């Protein structure tokens, strides 16, 4: 078998095998085999272009049969780039069927579409416009919109038509992107080609639906176009079954129905053309009937005209008399539209409508019930509702059964000729629709029985209630009743079962117990039954009759008392309590026939006023509202304020407050260099950092005297390993105290004292109590094996105050600060309590101005001379301050060099220094060489001394902060 119409034998065999497949499984096997073949052929680089075209068409078959052909999508996209018209159109056809507007490959087609829209071949342009309608999404609309707008004026009517369709598609996807181009639809309405005009009707219909008033001026234009179409002014090519352009007529009729709704003036322009269409239309063809139906819908929508309504009624009569179910359905629907304008039209077709109810076509029957619902009034409600209930019983579709039941209830409530009929109708609806009926319907039924006829006719109301009770006693015997209906039955029997005296309390209570036993799994039914028993026994007690509780009722009560449901328990306990009360109390609690009376609730509990007043006179305290007791004030004000802020602000974007550090002591604000500041001193300080510490100390002021936690010597947990070097330390009390004694200043020092250096240091110290233990600890922390190292002249500078003090003490190793200088530098404040104070009493005075670095010079080398010029001394023989930390351990900690000899010698030197300082002498203390050494014994003694001072190191590197706080 050779090729046929240019297709290969394989392609024809594929179509033949698919058509002859006897099962879905066989078809799937054929398609899967074809997929494997196409994958192999498409991946072959030597495949000719004409073969690729056939393979893409075979891919279309694969995709249409429900299989995945995504492996060939890219080949279809590539085919759109081809120059050959046949291949290009095939590629566009394939991508419009394969891809959606949100596919990832769309971006590869946009550039090709832009190029093809500017092509000289209008067939290529039409193919690109077809792709635009299907593939261009909201993001890519701006890329092609200018080209599409230009094509509205193309010389070819097919291009103009497709350009209008593309703009319409853009409007549906993104109205804002073409909002400035909507006038083009109006212009195309006057196009010379009927196809372009017909294409513009679709976007105009959407525009009129969105905004009717903006297009009222087009009514005359639409009427003229419709008239020309109806008069066969269009070419014969637009006829369909000898009907002139029926689809254009239908679209115009829909637009005129929107424009003429409620507008008498606009509707007046339409009457003539509508009458002409009804007269001209051929009712022998389906398309002619479609135009007639749309014409009736337009007549029903615009301002009514009697002549048009009469013509429409005649058409409806023809529809209803037809043997075609489709025409009958169309006639019922059209009649439902006209019935609001002319109710008498439905009366003349009542027999035809009833015949439709007997039709076996279920769709026609449902459409007829919708018409009956619209036709219902007081005179025909009984017939219509009875028919609807019969139909509801016959169907098994729960959804439509619920719909019919709601319609029946609505009609019965609105047009019921009598309450008795209403109750009977509701019984039928409940009995057959079951729990599909809304619970509100049950409440409305109970309210109607309780209220009666709403007049002062007590006899009629009593008759209504008696008939309801009798009907429910008959219905109880049914095998299965819905829960909602049983609740209504229990309530009615409890309220009115014994009202007329026809039935005894024992008989009614027995029936209620039977209901509760038969539906024991339904707690709602049992609750209603117990409440009904309570009412019956209460009415018996109020009437003075003896209450005989049946054994089955007693069992029901006992079972409810032990139930897991608190609702059943409460009802059972209330029943037991009520039976034991006297007649007067029962009449007050449970009056007869008072279900519809308003219950007055005393929210202020005024009946307790006498009791409250009596208690107050006896000395009881007045009640204090809860908001006052808790100090919350009026919570309503807070709620209203929060609500107002919520409405005013919506979401709040303020940043969270900075979290406060735990266990932070309260301190008063101090200057930058006050004693509360912590000055970090790293293990290796540069000369500039050393100068910074010295200058800070020389320019600082005395800190606050409040309680502070001093952290000198505490290792920092984060950042570079370093230790805080605050001027006021709990563990290191390096300062000295001076006290005027007999006109002299007593100085307690741990090292050689230099007055000008002491001024620089103690100006930033607070007054602390100094004990011998603290002096030992200070010496231990600052002592060590160091080697003097020469520094540059810029490595150690002092502030103005230090320099001035140095000028006054030239030629001496260490000098005592004059009293007047010490007094000026000292702020007399009560000493702050020391957290590490061991409790030994000491005498404290304001410390003089002392430079700690000069003291260290004395510790290192007692033979070192103080230079007259401080800069010269620093340059020639300045000790290396950081060499004091040379004993830092490998773990980042440091050792405390303390030896037994050092303790004895240092204490003796301290006592001698104190005695000499009292007399104003210059004190020079030399340290023994044993301090400079390092051995294991020294380390053990250092640790022992630290523990003796009250600090227990938790590791090799003691952290005083964590050790102190446990």
């Amino acid at each position: 078998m050779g090729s046929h119409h240019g297709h290969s034998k394989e392609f024809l065999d594929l179509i033949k095998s698919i058509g002859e497949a006897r099962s879905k499984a066989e078809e799937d096997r054929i398609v899967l085999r074809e997929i494997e073949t196409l994958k192999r052929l498409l991946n072959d680089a030597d495949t000719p272009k004409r073969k690729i075209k056939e393979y893409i068409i075979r891919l279309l078959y694969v995709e249409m049969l429900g299989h995945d052909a995504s492996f060939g999508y890219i080949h279809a996209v590539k085919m759109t780039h081809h120059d050959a018209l046949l291949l290009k159109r095939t590629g566009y056809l394939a991508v419009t069927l394969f891809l959606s507007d949100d596919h990832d490959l769309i971006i590869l087609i946009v550039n090709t579409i832009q190029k093809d829209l500017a092509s000289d071949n209008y067939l290529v342009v039409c193919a690109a416009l077809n792709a635009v309608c299907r593939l261009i999404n909201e993001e890519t609309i701006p890329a092609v919109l200018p080209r599409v707008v230009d094509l509205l004026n193309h010389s070819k009517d097919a291009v103009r038509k497709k350009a209008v369709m593309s703009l319409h598609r853009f409007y549906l996807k993104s109205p804002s992107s073409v909002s400035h181009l909507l006038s083009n639809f109006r212009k195309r309405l006057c196009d010379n080609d009927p196809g372009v005009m017909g294409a513009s009707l679709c976007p105009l219909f959407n525009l009129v639906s969105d905004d009717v008033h903006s297009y009222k001026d087009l009514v005359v234009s639409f009427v003229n176009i419709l008239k020309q179409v109806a008069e066969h002014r269009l070419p014969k090519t637009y006829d369909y079954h000898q009907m002139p352009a029926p689809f254009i007529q239908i679209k115009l009729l829909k637009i005129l129905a929107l424009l003429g709704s409620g507008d008498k003036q606009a509707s007046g322009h339409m009457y003539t053309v509508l009458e002409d269409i009804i007269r001209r239309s051929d009712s022998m063809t389906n398309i002619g009937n479609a135009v007639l139906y749309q014409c009736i819908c337009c007549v029903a929508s615009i301002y009514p005209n009697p002549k048009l309504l009469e013509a429409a009624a005649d058409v409806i009569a023809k529809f209803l008399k037809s043997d075609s179910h489709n025409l009958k359905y169309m006639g019922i629907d059209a009649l439902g539209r006209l019935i609001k304008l002319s109710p008498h039209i439905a009366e003349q077709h009542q027999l035809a409508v009833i015949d439709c109810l007997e039709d076996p076509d279920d769709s026609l029957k449902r459409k007829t019930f919708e018409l009956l619902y619209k036709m219902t009034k007081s005179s025909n409600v009984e017939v219509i509702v009875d028919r609807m209930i019969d139909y509801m019983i016959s169907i098994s579709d729960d959804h439509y059964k619920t719909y019919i039941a709601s319609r029946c209830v609505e009609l019965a409530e609105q047009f019921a000729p009598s309450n008795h009929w209403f109750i009977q109708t509701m019984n039928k609806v409940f009995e057959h629709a079951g729990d599909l009926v809304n619970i509100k319907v049950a409440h409305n039924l109970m309210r109607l029985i309780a209220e009666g006829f709403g007049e002062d006719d007590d006899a009629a109301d009593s008759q209504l209630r008696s008939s309801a009770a009798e009907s429910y006693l008959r219905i109880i015997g049914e095998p299965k009743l819905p829960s909602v209906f049983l609740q209504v039955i229990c309530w009615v029997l409890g309220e009115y079962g014994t009202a007329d005296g026809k039935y005894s309390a024992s008989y009614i209570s027995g029936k209620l117990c039977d209901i509760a036993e038969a539906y024991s799994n339904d707690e709602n039914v049992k609750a209603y039954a117990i409440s009904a028993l309570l009412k019956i026994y209460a009415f018996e007690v109020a009437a003075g009759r003896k209450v005989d509780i049946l054994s089955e009722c007693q069992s029901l009560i006992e079972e409810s008392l032990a139930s897991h449901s608190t609702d059943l328990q409460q009802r059972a306990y209330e029943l037991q309590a009520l039976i034991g009360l006297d007649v007067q109390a029962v009449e007050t609690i449970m009056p007869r026939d008072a279900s519809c009376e308003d219950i007055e609730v005393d929210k202020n509990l005024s009946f307790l006023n006498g009791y409250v007043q009596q208690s107050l006179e006896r000395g009881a305290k007045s009640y204090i509202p809860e908001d006052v007791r808790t100090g919350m004030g009026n919570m309503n004000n807070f709620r209203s304020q929060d609500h107002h802020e919520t409405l005013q602000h919506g979401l709040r974007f303020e940043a969270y407050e900075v979290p406060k550090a735990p266990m932070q002591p309260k301190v008063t604000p101090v200057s930058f260099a006050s004693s509360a500041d912590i000055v970090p001193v790293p293990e290796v300080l540069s000369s500039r950092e050393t100068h910074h510490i010295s200058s800070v100390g020389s320019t600082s002021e005395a800190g606050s005297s409040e309680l502070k936690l001093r952290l000198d010597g505490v290792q920092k947990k984060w950042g570079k390993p370093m230790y805080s070097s605050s001027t006021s330390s709990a563990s290191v009390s390096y300062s000295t105290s001076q006290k005027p004694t007999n006109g002299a200043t007593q100085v307690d020092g741990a090292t050689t004292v230099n007055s000008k250096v002491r001024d620089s240091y103690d100006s930033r110290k607070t007054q602390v109590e100094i004990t011998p233990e603290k002096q030992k600890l200070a010496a231990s922390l600052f002592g060590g094996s160091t080697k003097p190292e020469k520094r540059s002249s810029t490595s150690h500078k002092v502030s103005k105050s230090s320099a001035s003090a140095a000028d006054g003490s030239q030629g001496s190793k260490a000098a005592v600060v004059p009293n007047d200088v010490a007094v000026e530098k000292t702020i007399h404040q009560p000493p702050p309590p020391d957290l590490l104070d061991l409790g030994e009493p000491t005498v404290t005075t304001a410390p003089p101005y002392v430079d700690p670095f000069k003291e260290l010079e004395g510790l290192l080398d007692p033979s070192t001379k103080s230079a007259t010029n401080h800069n010269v001394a620093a340059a020639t023989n300045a000790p290396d301050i950081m060499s004091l930390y040379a004993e830092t351990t490998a773990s980042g900690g440091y050792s405390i060099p303390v030896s037994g000899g050092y303790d004895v010698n240092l204490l003796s030197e301290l006592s001698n220094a104190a005695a000499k300082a009292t007399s104003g002498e210059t004190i020079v203390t030399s340290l023994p060489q044993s301090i400079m050494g390092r051995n294991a014994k020294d380390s053990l003694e250092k640790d022992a001394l630290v523990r003796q001072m009250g600090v227990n190191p938790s590791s090799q590197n003691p952290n005083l902060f964590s050790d102190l706080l446990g």
Side-chain angles (χ1 to χ4, degrees):
M1 184 177 179
S3 62
H4 181 67
H5 294 295
H7 299 300
S8 65
K9 180 179 180 298
E10 292 81 6
F11 179 49
L12 297 177
D13 290 343
L14 171 65
I15 298 174
K16 182 180 178 180
S17 60
I18 291 175
E20 294 176 352
R22 294 172 180 256
S23 64
K24 177 64 174 159
E26 183 180 354
E27 180 187 280
D28 290 341
R29 285 195 298 270
I30 296 171
V31 175
L32 292 175
R33 186 168 62 249
E34 179 68 15
I35 289 175
E36 296 300 325
T37 303
L38 290 175
K39 284 183 179 179
R40 185 182 70 256
L41 295 175
L42 288 173
N43 291 331
D44 188 359
D46 298 332
T47 304
K49 296 293 183 181
R50 57 186 181 84
K51 288 289 186 181
I52 293 290
K53 170 180 170 291
E54 180 181 303
Y55 298 157
I56 295 299
I57 295 175
R58 288 159 70 172
L59 277 177
L60 292 177
Y61 277 85
V62 171
E63 189 83 7
M64 287 188 294
L65 292 173
H67 293 265
D68 182 23
S70 59
F71 64 90
Y73 289 175
I74 189 62
H75 298 283
V77 173
K78 290 179 180 178
M79 189 172 288
T80 61
H81 303 163
H82 205 277
D83 294 333
L85 177 61
L86 186 60
L87 296 179
K88 182 181 288 288
R89 295 184 68 180
T90 304
Y92 274 126
L93 174 63
V95 295
T96 53
L97 295 176
F98 286 153
L99 308 181
S100 60
D101 59 358
D102 58 348
H103 199 276
D104 295 337
L105 295 176
I106 294 298
I107 196 65
L108 302 178
I109 306 175
V110 175
N111 190 36
T112 305
I113 291 177
Q114 286 179 320
K115 183 183 68 173
D116 291 341
L117 288 177
S119 175
D120 296 333
N121 190 339
Y122 79 97
L123 295 177
V124 175
V125 176
C126 290
L129 287 173
N130 288 337
V132 165
C133 292
R134 290 295 303 273
L135 301 180
I136 296 301
N137 51 35
E138 186 175 357
E139 288 76 15
T140 54
I141 285 176
V144 298
L145 182 59
R147 299 285 178 87
V148 173
V149 174
D150 293 339
L151 293 176
L152 291 173
N153 299 316
H154 199 274
S155 59
K156 292 291 184 178
D157 56 332
V159 175
R160 296 198 303 273
K161 178 181 177 179
K162 293 184 181 296
V164 171
M165 295 169 63
S166 299
L167 275 184
H168 183 204
R169 183 70 172 176
F170 294 164
Y171 174 77
L172 296 178
K173 283 186 173 293
S174 177
S176 59
S177 62
V178 294
S179 58
H180 60 292
L181 302 172
L182 299 182
S183 60
N184 289 281
F185 297 129
R186 288 173 174 261
K187 296 177 182 178
R188 293 305 103 194
L189 194 63
C190 304
D191 196 280
N192 294 329
D193 185 75
V196 180
M197 180 272 298
S200 65
L201 293 178
C202 296
L204 285 173
F205 175 74
N206 293 110
L207 293 173
V208 172
S209 300
D210 295 338
D211 185 9
V212 175
H213 299 286
S214 299
Y215 296 89
K216 289 284 188 180
D217 57 324
L218 293 179
V219 171
V220 177
S221 300
F222 288 130
V223 170
N224 290 334
I225 295 172
L226 181 59
K227 184 178 180 180
Q228 294 179 41
V229 173
E231 293 176 354
H232 284 82
R233 299 286 184 86
L234 269 62
K236 287 289 185 179
T237 54
Y238 290 93
D239 288 358
Y240 181 78
H241 289 277
Q242 298 180 355
M243 277 294 296
F247 302 105
I248 293 179
Q249 288 191 55
I250 291 174
K251 185 63 69 175
L252 285 169
L253 288 170
K254 289 182 177 180
I255 294 174
L256 291 177
L258 294 174
L259 294 173
S261 178
D263 190 340
K264 185 177 182 179
Q265 182 179 0
S267 300
H269 296 288
M270 309 174 191
Y271 294 152
T272 304
V273 68
L274 291 176
E275 185 180 357
D276 188 39
I277 290 174
I278 293 175
R279 187 180 67 254
R280 288 173 178 270
S281 296
D282 182 11
S283 61
M284 300 304 294
T285 59
N286 286 334
I287 192 63
N289 291 325
V291 174
L292 284 174
Y293 169 76
Q294 194 62 50
C295 195
I296 294 173
C297 293
C298 183
V299 170
S301 299
I302 65 175
Y303 194 83
N305 179 269
K307 191 175 182 179
L308 281 177
L309 292 176
E310 185 178 351
D314 295 338
V315 175
I316 291 174
K318 294 179 182 179
F319 288 162
L320 294 176
K321 292 176 183 179
S322 175
D323 295 334
S324 172
H325 288 166
N326 291 334
L327 292 181
K328 284 184 178 180
Y329 186 95
M330 199 158 54
I332 293 294
D333 184 81
L335 187 59
R337 294 175 182 272
L338 289 181
I339 198 171
K340 298 179 181 179
L341 302 176
S342 181
H344 67 278
I345 295 178
E347 295 178 3
Q348 61 186 1
H349 298 295
Q350 190 170 4
L351 294 178
V353 172
I354 296 300
D355 290 339
C356 291
L357 290 176
E358 308 297 335
D359 198 284
D361 190 341
D362 198 59
S363 299
L364 179 59
K365 193 177 294 185
R366 294 187 181 187
K367 178 59 71 173
T368 305
F369 278 119
E370 292 184 13
L371 174 63
L372 291 176
Y373 171 76
K374 298 175 182 178
M375 293 171 55
T376 304
K377 51 187 177 181
S378 300
S379 59
N380 61 4
V381 63
E382 298 181 39
V383 178
I384 292 176
V385 171
D386 288 343
R387 290 287 188 130
M388 295 175 75
I389 291 176
D390 292 340
Y391 176 68
M392 181 184 67
I393 296 172
S394 65
I395 62 176
S396 58
D397 184 1
D398 287 346
H399 175 74
Y400 198 67
K401 183 178 287 189
T402 304
Y403 175 77
I404 292 293
S406 63
R407 293 293 196 187
C408 292
V409 171
E410 186 178 347
L411 293 177
E413 291 178 347
Q414 187 174 0
F415 300 106
S418 65
N419 286 349
H420 179 75
W421 177 87
F422 177 76
I423 292 174
Q424 298 300 324
T425 302
M426 290 298 100
N427 292 347
K428 291 181 182 179
V429 173
F430 277 117
E431 185 176 355
H432 298 290
D435 293 326
L436 301 175
V437 183
N438 195 324
I439 189 64
K440 293 182 179 179
V441 178
H443 295 161
N444 293 338
L445 178 59
M446 289 186 283
R447 187 182 71 249
L448 175 64
I449 296 174
E451 292 177 351
F453 290 95
E455 302 175 357
D456 295 334
D457 191 354
D458 295 337
D461 293 344
S462 299
Q463 183 181 1
L464 171 67
R465 294 159 185 166
S466 298
S467 63
E470 290 179 2
S471 64
Y472 291 150
L473 288 173
R474 290 194 302 268
I475 294 174
I476 287 177
E478 296 292 334
K480 182 65 178 178
L481 294 173
S483 176
V484 177
F485 192 31
L486 288 170
Q487 295 173 23
V488 176
I489 292 174
C490 292
W491 186 87
V492 172
L493 292 180
E495 286 282 348
Y496 307 109
T498 60
D500 56 356
K502 187 174 181 179
Y503 301 100
S504 64
S506 299
Y507 178 77
I508 299 297
S509 60
K511 291 292 185 180
L512 291 171
C513 291
D514 292 341
I515 293 176
E517 182 180 358
Y519 300 91
S520 58
N521 294 329
D522 194 333
E523 291 186 359
N524 291 328
V525 174
K526 292 178 69 175
Y528 270 83
I530 294 174
S531 295
L533 290 174
L534 183 146
K535 294 176 185 177
I536 290 173
Y537 292 144
F539 297 155
E540 291 295 302
V541 171
R545 292 188 288 267
K546 183 180 179 182
V547 176
D548 294 328
I549 301 179
L550 300 178
S551 58
E552 56 264 29
C553 295
Q554 187 63 38
S555 300
L556 174 62
I557 295 172
E558 292 176 355
E559 179 185 353
S560 301
L561 290 173
S563 174
H564 293 289
S565 172
T566 56
D567 182 35
L568 293 179
Q569 284 187 15
Q570 180 177 349
R571 293 173 191 259
Y573 277 115
E574 289 176 355
L575 174 57
Q576 277 191 338
L578 191 68
I579 295 174
L581 298 177
D582 56 9
V583 176
Q584 185 177 1
V586 172
E587 288 181 346
T588 304
I589 295 172
M590 191 64 64
R592 179 181 287 274
D593 194 16
S595 59
C596 292
E597 295 182 2
D598 297 332
I599 300 176
E600 297 181 0
V601 179
D602 187 1
K603 296 182 179 180
N604 297 324
L605 305 179
S606 59
F607 59 89
L608 294 176
N609 290 342
Y611 173 78
V612 172
Q613 186 63 31
Q614 185 178 4
S615 299
L616 291 175
E617 292 175 355
R618 293 177 181 175
K621 293 183 179 181
S622 300
Y623 174 73
I624 302 175
E626 183 179 2
D627 54 357
V628 178
R629 292 197 306 270
T630 58
M632 294 299 293
N634 191 355
M635 295 304 296
N636 292 330
N637 295 337
F638 288 99
R639 293 191 187 100
S640 62
Q641 182 179 357
D642 292 343
H643 179 66
H644 175 69
E645 291 180 356
T646 302
L647 293 179
Q648 182 178 1
H649 300 290
L651 294 177
R652 299 180 63 184
F653 299 98
E654 290 83 357
Y656 292 115
E657 294 182 359
V658 179
K660 298 180 180 179
M663 302 179 60
Q664 184 71 19
K666 294 183 179 180
V667 297
T668 56
V670 294
S671 61
F672 170 74
S674 65
S675 62
D677 295 333
I678 297 177
V679 183
V681 180
E683 291 185 3
V684 180
L685 283 176
S686 64
S687 60
R688 184 172 300 178
E689 290 170 336
T690 308
H691 157 65
H692 174 69
I693 296 174
S694 176
S695 61
V696 167
S698 63
T699 57
S700 62
E701 298 178 358
S704 171
S705 61
E706 295 183 11
L707 179 62
K708 304 181 185 67
L709 185 62
R710 284 171 289 275
L711 306 175
D712 276 1
V714 179
Q715 183 182 10
K716 292 184 68 176
K717 289 291 183 184
W718 298 279
K720 297 181 179 180
M722 58 180 65
Y723 298 90
S724 60
S725 178
S726 176
T727 59
S728 176
S729 172
S731 59
V732 183
S733 188
Y734 183 75
S735 66
T736 59
S737 301
Q738 77 173 18
K739 177 181 177 182
T741 305
N742 297 328
T745 301
Q746 179 181 352
V747 180
D748 296 334
T751 58
T752 302
V753 180
N754 190 318
S755 60
K756 63 178 183 295
V757 180
R758 185 182 295 274
D759 263 338
S760 173
Y761 176 70
D762 283 343
S763 61
R764 58 189 177 98
K765 278 183 59 66
T766 55
Q767 301 176 8
V768 295
E769 297 179 359
I770 300 177
T771 61
E773 289 80 4
K774 291 183 181 180
Q775 294 173 357
K776 293 179 182 179
L777 187 58
S780 300
L781 291 174
F782 285 91
S785 174
T786 60
K787 295 181 180 180
E789 179 179 341
K790 291 187 177 182
R791 296 174 180 265
S792 64
S793 60
T794 59
S795 64
H796 184 67
K797 298 181 181 178
V798 294
S799 61
K800 276 188 176 182
S801 56
S802 299
S804 60
D807 292 340
S809 58
Q810 297 178 4
S812 63
K813 295 180 182 178
V816 178
V817 181
N819 290 342
D820 54 342
V821 178
V823 172
E824 289 174 3
K825 295 290 183 177
T826 305
I827 300 176
H828 298 280
Q829 293 179 350
D834 193 343
L835 296 180
L836 296 179
D837 192 358
L838 299 179
E840 296 185 18
T842 56
V843 180
T844 62
T845 58
Y849 184 84
V850 179
D851 191 333
F853 301 106
K854 286 301 179 181
E855 296 185 80
L856 293 173
E857 293 176 7
L859 284 172
L860 295 172
D861 190 1
S863 62
T864 303
K865 305 294 183 179
S866 292
T868 302
N869 191 319
H870 189 276
N871 291 337
V872 175
T876 57
N877 198 12
D880 185 4
I881 183 63
M882 292 318 301
S883 62
L884 296 176
Y885 293 86
E887 299 220 1
T888 303
T889 62
S891 62
Y894 56 91
S895 59
I896 306 176
V898 179
S899 62
Y902 172 70
D903 292 340
V904 177
N905 296 335
L906 181 59
L907 288 178
S908 62
E909 292 294 332
L910 288 174
S911 59
N912 295 334
K916 294 180 181 180
T918 305
S919 60
E921 297 178 9
T922 300
I923 302 171
V924 177
T925 304
S926 58
L927 298 178
Q929 187 63 29
S930 61
I931 299 177
M932 302 301 180
R934 173 192 294 178
N935 52 49
K937 181 179 179 181
D938 290 343
S939 298
L940 293 175
E941 290 177 355
K942 295 169 192 173
D943 290 342
L945 179 60
V946 173
R947 290 187 177 88
Q948 181 183 356
M949 302 308 298
V951 180
N952 295 324
S954 59
S955 63
Q956 184 181 3
N957 179 18
N959 189 330
L960 299 185
F961 185 78
S962 60
D963 293 336
L964 285 173
L965 299 182

